[in-house]
Amino acid sequence: MTQIHQGPGSGPTALRILLGSQLRRLREAGGLTREEAGHRIRCSESKISRMELGRVGLRERDVADLLTLYGVEDEGARAAVMDLLTRANEPGWWHRFNDLLPNWFQTYVGLEEAAARIRTYEVQFVPGLLQTKEYARAVITAGSAGVAPEEIARRVDLRLERQRILDRPGGPFFWAVIDEAALRRPIGGADVMRAQLEHLMDLMRQPNITIQVMPFSFGGHSAEGGAFSVLRFQDRELPDVVYVEQLASALYLDKREDVDRYSEVMERLCAVSTTPDETVDILKRIIKEN
């Protein structure tokens, strides 16, 4: 059975995906279909698929039954999988914000927490991990009509809590390409926007943060379809994941052909966007013009 390595950044979401991948390999090695596996633990084929993709939590009884079905009899091997299950079922720090987080975004927060590298392209706003508190409040307020101020404050707290991954030892490398339009859109007013642009320049001093700008002067480009992120993980067992957020849902793509397509677009964006030095120049110019 393949050994699973758990790095320091492996959060419960990533561990759940690792566990699902391990169960899928065991099922395939045994020549069993998802339907046959589902019959053994009294569930549908679609649930087995979601379990193997790490999209749902797994119960101890179900995993134990699947290990028996797949012929895993060695007690040490079984104990390793069950230990992984225990870790995967532990709530992440974002659990206390579950009432604010839709299910489709909880998955992203968990993947973000476990990522070793995050590359993102943003069109409308400064990326959430790079936002000041005041800018974040303005963005969240604009999209939360009728929401109580107390809830808006908690949503801001959640966003700031997510940012802590960039400061922790061994945190992810974060590479952002931001459309110039997002930097010129006066979210929260001139003072808030100026502070946000200055904050971006400060963040660029961190060795794990790179910021590029897709300038107006370039015209059309390969990412006209909108914002997306590509996340890579330290554990080689985990595939890269492309995240594409929509109005009330999100796409998570991990098939090799999809990841390759988005990665190629990201490479082209980086090639034609500003260098880090040019990014500082354009930020200073926007501040001066406003």
Side-chain angles (χ1 to χ4, degrees):
M1 195 168 70
T2 303
Q3 183 178 3
I4 294 177
H5 302 281
Q6 298 171 35
S10 294
T13 302
L15 295 178
R16 194 168 65 236
I17 296 173
L18 279 174
L19 177 57
S21 296
Q22 182 77 342
L23 292 174
R24 175 182 53 78
R25 286 193 297 271
L26 289 169
R27 176 181 58 77
E28 292 174 345
L32 296 168
T33 66
R34 283 190 292 265
E35 183 179 5
E36 290 169 334
H39 179 72
R40 175 60 181 260
I41 64 170
R42 301 157 298 280
C43 75
S44 66
E45 177 184 357
S46 63
K47 182 177 179 180
I48 292 292
S49 176
R50 293 194 299 273
M51 290 169 62
E52 293 180 349
L53 291 170
R55 302 287 167 80
V56 294
L58 291 87
R59 297 186 304 173
E60 182 175 341
R61 175 183 172 184
D62 290 342
V63 173
D65 285 349
L66 288 175
L67 290 178
T68 299
L69 177 64
Y70 299 156
V72 180
E73 299 178 353
D74 180 79
E75 289 302 319
R78 292 179 69 94
V81 173
M82 300 312 289
D83 177 66
L84 180 60
L85 172 64
T86 299
R87 295 172 181 270
N89 283 338
E90 291 176 355
W93 62 260
W94 55 93
H95 180 72
R96 67 183 187 274
F97 295 102
N98 276 359
D99 58 316
L100 303 179
L101 287 168
N103 289 335
W104 55 265
F105 191 64
Q106 287 184 34
T107 299
Y108 180 75
V109 175
L111 292 174
E112 182 180 74
E113 178 77 9
R117 188 185 73 179
I118 303 170
R119 303 178 75 184
T120 188
Y121 171 62
E122 273 290 349
V123 184
Q124 297 291 335
F125 305 109
V126 170
L129 293 186
L130 306 181
Q131 293 177 5
T132 65
K133 183 175 183 177
E134 293 74 18
Y135 182 95
R137 182 182 292 110
V139 171
I140 291 169
T141 300
S144 306
V147 175
E150 295 79 9
E151 182 171 324
I152 289 176
R154 289 187 65 218
R155 293 185 183 184
V156 173
D157 289 343
L158 168 61
R159 187 158 302 179
L160 297 181
E161 187 75 19
R162 287 171 51 208
Q163 295 176 3
R164 293 166 66 93
I165 64 170
L166 297 180
D167 298 321
R168 76 184 183 201
F173 181 73
F174 189 79
W175 191 329
V177 177
I178 308 174
D179 195 278
E180 184 176 346
L183 302 174
R184 291 187 175 277
R185 185 170 292 108
I187 302 294
D191 291 342
V192 169
M193 199 64 212
R194 183 181 303 109
Q196 175 63 70
L197 298 178
E198 291 171 348
H199 181 59
L200 292 178
M201 288 191 286
D202 290 339
L203 288 172
M204 291 182 68
R205 297 189 179 98
Q206 294 184 208
N208 62 321
I209 297 177
T210 296
I211 302 173
Q212 295 181 267
V213 177
M214 170 55 67
F216 285 148
S217 59
F218 187 76
H221 54 79
S222 57
E224 296 290 354
F228 65 94
S229 297
V230 183
L231 296 88
R232 175 164 292 177
F233 307 92
Q234 183 176 10
D235 198 307
R236 294 181 180 180
E237 296 288 333
L238 278 172
D240 290 359
V241 174
V242 175
Y243 172 76
V244 184
E245 187 169 322
Q246 300 172 330
L247 183 62
S249 63
L251 296 176
Y252 293 89
L253 308 173
D254 59 9
K255 290 184 179 178
R256 186 74 262 165
E257 58 267 27
D258 292 328
V259 172
D260 286 348
R261 186 178 304 115
Y262 277 90
S263 295
E264 289 169 6
V265 170
M266 182 65 76
E267 292 293 342
R268 290 198 293 270
L269 282 171
C270 292
V272 301
S273 296
T274 60
T275 65
D277 286 343
E278 291 169 341
T279 296
V280 173
D281 292 339
I282 198 170
L283 290 172
K284 289 180 176 178
R285 185 167 67 249
I286 295 172
I287 291 172
K288 185 177 180 180
E289 292 173 359
N290 292 281

